[in-house]
């Protein structure tokens, strides 16, 4: 029998935050929400408060700023988490600005205790606590009295069985050296990272007593629904990896939409595989991806295309636009020019869940790098790895395109450290013969499956994507070494 005390956990109601906290907030804990102005501290506090507050679990929100609570409410009620019916019976606002001006910490504490006794809250918020600290430094009480005030506040709130949050505008260096840190059970730090005209919001759990929280900085966004946190972690493995069931060594084959390519793939793309289609500009990567989605629509399988062009009417070809307009394919796109992989994966997952898609086209990784924030551009391999891992967990079949510079006499498969992240690779390239530019295609790999090693010429015509069955004309040509019968390329 264990003698350990079980700590109650409170769900914050903030998507992704409970994961970082190790399951939620510890009940009756004393917490600090810190960060520079404008990074979302008050919004985070309100989202937690409105998620947890009920007539049985009341919340008391103390404001020590000069602005009245009415002004704060005007802005906070724009978010989806705000419930006006809770203000009054479940949530009460108290302005301590006048009490604070007197500089009497004991008087401020007694006023807070009076309000607590009258309302019996389970949740207490103080915004902004930095105002209290600044008063201490400029008044007669001093830093020692401030620390005593904080300790006394924490002790009294714990005795009242209230979970408490102090909200303060602190820089990173200030928080870890602040005397409040010796009292706080938990600390959440928010920041805005500014690089190359791009701003990315980050959240870090610095401290959370009694539970294993996740370290590191994690991206978050402020949306119409409030704050959403994106934990920096890989998705869980598919259930098949844990179930003990035998691995399917002969998965169903997914037709690509080009019958001759299916023959080269030994019957089609293994279901759940990711295929990298790489090649220079104009070689037909997007057309091949469109055939892949068209074939899915013909078989009744929904698809999702991640595109970086704005609007279905401006998609690269009319056939893909028709699939979107018919509802067979959903588009994931963004107007932001400082995307993070967390945001993209969230939007991609939502589209797959909403449509039940079985096929995904990412067109293209080359353009994706233009829209990523500097951090993502510098870590493209990590971005692709997380994307492929997330899609693999869902069991969808994925085709990813990537543009390459064609060197004609050199065989280039993909950008560095990208090739091994996908299950299959199809390389498209150009060759020159008698003043005519010709296109060639080969299957480089298919994990767990045999495949053709042929180098095949193909053409893109009004009739579609046509792969020539006869390869004798260019047999024996490789890396710019011509055969006696074939072209140089």
């Amino acid at each position: 029998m264990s003698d350990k005390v079980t700590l109650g956990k409170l769900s914050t109601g903030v998507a992704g935050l409970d994961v970082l906290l190790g399951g939620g907030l510890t009940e009756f804990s004393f917490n600090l929400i810190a960060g520079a102005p404008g990074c979302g501290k008050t919004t985070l506090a309100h989202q937690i408060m409105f998620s947890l507050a009920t007539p049985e679990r009341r919340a008391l929100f103390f404001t020590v700023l000069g602005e009245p609570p009415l002004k704060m409410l005007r802005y906070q009620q724009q978010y989806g988490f705000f419930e006006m019916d809770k203000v009054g019976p479940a949530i009460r606002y108290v302005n301590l600005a006048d009490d604070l001006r007197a500089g009497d910490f004991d008087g401020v504490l007694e006023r807070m205790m009076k309000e607590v006794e009258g309302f019996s809250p389970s949740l207490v918020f103080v915004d902004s606590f930095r105002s209290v600290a600044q008063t201490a430094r400029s008044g007669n009480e001093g830093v020692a009295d401030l620390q005593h005030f904080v300790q006394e506040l924490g002790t009294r709130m714990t005795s009242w069985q209230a979970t408490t949050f102090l909200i303060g505008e602190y820089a990173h260096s200030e928080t870890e050296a602040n005397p409040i840190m010796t009292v706080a059970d938990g600390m959440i730090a928010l920041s805005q990272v500014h690089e190359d005209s791009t701003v990315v919001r980050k959240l870090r759990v610095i401290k959370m007593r009694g539970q294993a929280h996740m370290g590191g900085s994690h991206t978050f966004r402020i949306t119409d629904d409030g704050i959403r946190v994106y934990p920096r972690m890989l998705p869980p493995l598919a259930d098949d990896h844990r179930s003990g069931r035998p691995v399917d060594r002969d998965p169903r084959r997914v037709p690509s939409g080009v019958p001759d390519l299916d023959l080269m793939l030994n019957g089609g793309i293994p279901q759940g595989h990711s295929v990298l289609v790489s090649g220079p500009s104009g070689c037909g990567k997007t057309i091949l991806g469109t055939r892949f989605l068209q074939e899915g629509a013909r078989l009744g399988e929904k698809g999702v295309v991640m595109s970086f062009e704005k609007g279905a009417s401006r998609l690269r070809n009319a056939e893909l636009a028709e699939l979107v307009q018919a509802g067979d394919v959903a588009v994931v796109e963004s107007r932001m020019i400082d995307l993070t992989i967390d945001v993209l994966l969230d939007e991609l997952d939502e589209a797959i869940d909403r449509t039940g898609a079985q096929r995904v086209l990412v067109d293209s990784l080359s353009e994706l790098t233009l829209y990523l924030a500097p951090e993502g551009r510098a870590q493209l391999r990590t971005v692709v790895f997380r994307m492929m891992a997330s899609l693999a967990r869902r069991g969808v079949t994925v085709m990813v395109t990537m543009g390459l510079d064609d060197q004609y006499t050199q065989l280039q498969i993909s950008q560095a450290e990208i090739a091994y992240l996908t299950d299959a690779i199809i390389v498209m390239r150009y060759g020159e013969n008698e003043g005519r530019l010709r296109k060639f295609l080969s299957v480089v790999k298919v994990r767990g499956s045999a495949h053709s090693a042929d180098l095949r010429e193909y053409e893109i015509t009004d009739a579609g994507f046509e792969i020539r069955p006869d390869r004798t004309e260019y047999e024996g040509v490789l890396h710019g070494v011509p055969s006696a019968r074939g072209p140089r390329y």
Side-chain angles (χ1 to χ4, degrees):
M1 181 177 178
S2 175
D3 295 329
K4 292 193 300 184
V5 175
T6 301
L7 299 176
K9 295 290 182 66
L10 301 175
S11 177
T12 62
V14 179
L17 182 55
D18 289 349
V19 175
L20 301 188
L21 295 174
L25 285 165
T26 303
E27 196 172 18
F28 313 138
S29 59
F30 198 70
N31 304 284
L32 177 63
I33 300 176
C39 63
K41 303 181 300 300
T42 300
T43 300
L44 176 63
H46 274 81
Q47 190 167 348
I48 294 173
M49 180 172 66
F50 275 91
S51 173
L52 292 174
T54 64
E56 294 74 32
R57 184 197 287 147
R58 299 175 183 176
L60 195 56
F61 199 105
F62 291 104
T63 64
V64 293
L65 299 170
E67 65 179 20
L70 184 61
K71 181 180 179 181
M72 184 184 299
L73 285 175
R74 184 183 303 125
Y75 289 107
Q76 293 300 319
Q77 68 182 348
Q78 306 304 315
Y79 295 110
F81 61 76
F82 190 93
E83 298 179 56
M84 195 64 189
D85 292 343
K86 288 188 175 183
V87 179
I91 296 172
R92 177 180 294 178
Y93 289 86
V94 177
N95 194 335
L96 296 176
D98 292 338
D99 302 83
L100 185 61
R101 288 192 195 98
D104 180 8
F105 281 176
D106 290 337
V108 172
L109 185 61
E110 292 307 316
R111 170 74 190 283
M112 295 176 71
M113 290 303 101
K114 181 179 179 180
E115 295 290 346
V116 168
E117 291 175 5
F119 197 58
S120 299
S122 300
L123 305 163
V124 175
F125 297 80
V126 183
D127 184 16
S128 155
F129 195 78
R130 186 181 177 92
S131 301
V132 178
Q134 288 175 333
T135 300
R137 285 197 292 268
S138 60
N140 299 321
E141 302 292 336
V143 176
D145 286 344
L146 171 64
Q147 188 164 5
H148 173 74
F149 172 79
V150 174
Q151 291 173 336
E152 187 68 18
L153 178 62
T155 300
R156 295 197 188 191
M157 290 302 173
T158 302
S159 66
W160 277 97
Q161 294 190 327
T163 306
T164 308
F165 301 84
L166 306 184
I167 306 161
E169 296 177 355
Y170 297 99
H172 172 69
S173 58
E174 291 180 294
T175 49
E176 298 190 356
N178 197 288
I180 297 175
M181 282 299 296
T182 63
V183 180
D185 300 310
M187 178 177 173
I188 301 173
L190 284 67
S191 63
Q192 299 185 85
V193 180
H194 189 195
E195 183 178 355
D196 292 347
S197 301
T198 296
V199 175
V200 178
R201 298 178 186 271
K202 296 288 185 178
L203 184 147
R204 186 162 72 101
V205 179
I206 296 176
K207 180 181 182 181
M208 195 57 57
R209 283 178 176 153
Q211 56 200 69
H213 62 274
M214 284 186 64
S217 295
H218 306 264
T219 303
F220 75 94
R221 292 177 64 197
I222 300 179
T223 70
D224 291 341
D225 293 324
I227 287 177
R228 182 178 185 85
V229 181
Y230 302 94
R232 189 167 49 84
M233 59 189 297
L234 291 175
L237 295 174
D239 292 339
D240 290 345
H241 293 272
R242 302 190 189 93
S243 64
R245 294 192 295 268
V247 177
D248 186 1
R249 298 187 178 277
D250 188 22
R252 181 179 78 88
R253 297 285 171 157
V254 175
S256 67
V258 180
D260 287 332
L261 178 58
D262 291 338
L263 292 176
M264 297 178 69
L265 292 167
N266 197 29
I269 305 169
Q271 184 178 15
H273 269 38
S274 57
V275 181
L276 174 65
V277 179
S278 64
S281 177
C283 67
K285 301 183 296 297
T286 298
I287 293 176
L288 182 58
T290 301
R291 294 291 177 271
F292 171 67
L293 294 177
Q294 283 180 317
E295 182 67 12
R298 187 184 69 81
L299 297 173
E301 299 175 356
K302 296 292 186 181
V304 172
V305 57
M306 179 182 286
S307 174
F308 300 95
E309 297 188 27
K310 306 311 176 194
S313 62
R314 296 180 59 187
L315 290 171
R316 286 190 176 90
N317 58 65
E319 293 174 331
L320 186 53
E322 289 175 0
L323 290 173
V324 174
Q325 292 169 357
D328 294 318
V329 172
V331 179
V332 174
E333 59 180 355
S334 177
R335 299 187 181 276
M336 299 172 62
I337 59 173
D338 54 357
L339 292 170
T340 66
I341 185 58
D342 309 284
V343 175
L344 283 175
L345 290 180
D346 185 56
E347 294 179 356
L348 192 57
D349 287 345
E350 189 278 330
I352 294 172
D353 290 339
R354 173 169 44 84
T355 62
Q358 296 173 264
R359 299 183 181 221
V360 173
L361 171 63
V362 180
D363 189 30
S364 71
L365 288 181
S366 308
E367 291 184 353
L368 169 61
T369 59
L370 301 177
Y371 289 83
L372 286 174
E375 180 184 35
R377 292 198 297 269
Q379 302 176 6
L380 180 60
R381 182 180 64 86
T382 303
V383 167
V384 177
F385 178 57
R386 291 184 61 189
M387 181 183 296
M388 294 300 102
S390 177
L391 293 171
R393 179 180 66 88
R394 293 178 167 274
V396 296
T397 307
V398 187
M399 185 172 287
V400 183
T401 68
M402 172 178 282
L404 298 173
D405 293 332
D406 198 316
Q407 304 295 328
Y408 288 97
T409 59
Q410 297 179 11
L411 178 61
Q412 185 178 5
I413 294 174
S414 77
Q415 294 183 14
E417 299 184 330
I418 298 297
Y420 73 92
L421 298 178
T422 57
D423 302 306
I425 299 176
I426 298 171
V427 173
M428 306 166 78
R429 60 186 304 202
Y430 291 119
E432 182 184 355
N433 183 322
E434 298 179 352
R436 178 171 174 261
L437 204 59
R438 302 167 67 175
K439 299 181 179 73
F440 296 89
L441 176 149
S442 58
V443 178
V444 175
K445 77 168 184 179
V446 180
R447 283 195 180 118
S449 172
H451 60 85
S452 170
D454 290 349
L455 185 67
R456 303 278 290 275
E457 183 177 3
Y458 67 94
E459 290 185 319
I460 300 172
T461 67
D462 293 340
F465 198 102
E466 300 179 0
I467 299 178
R468 290 184 55 180
D470 181 19
R471 65 185 179 89
T472 57
E473 183 180 338
Y474 45 91
E475 193 170 31
V477 182
L478 185 63
H479 295 283
V481 181
S483 70
R485 307 171 55 187
R488 182 187 304 272
Y489 71 95

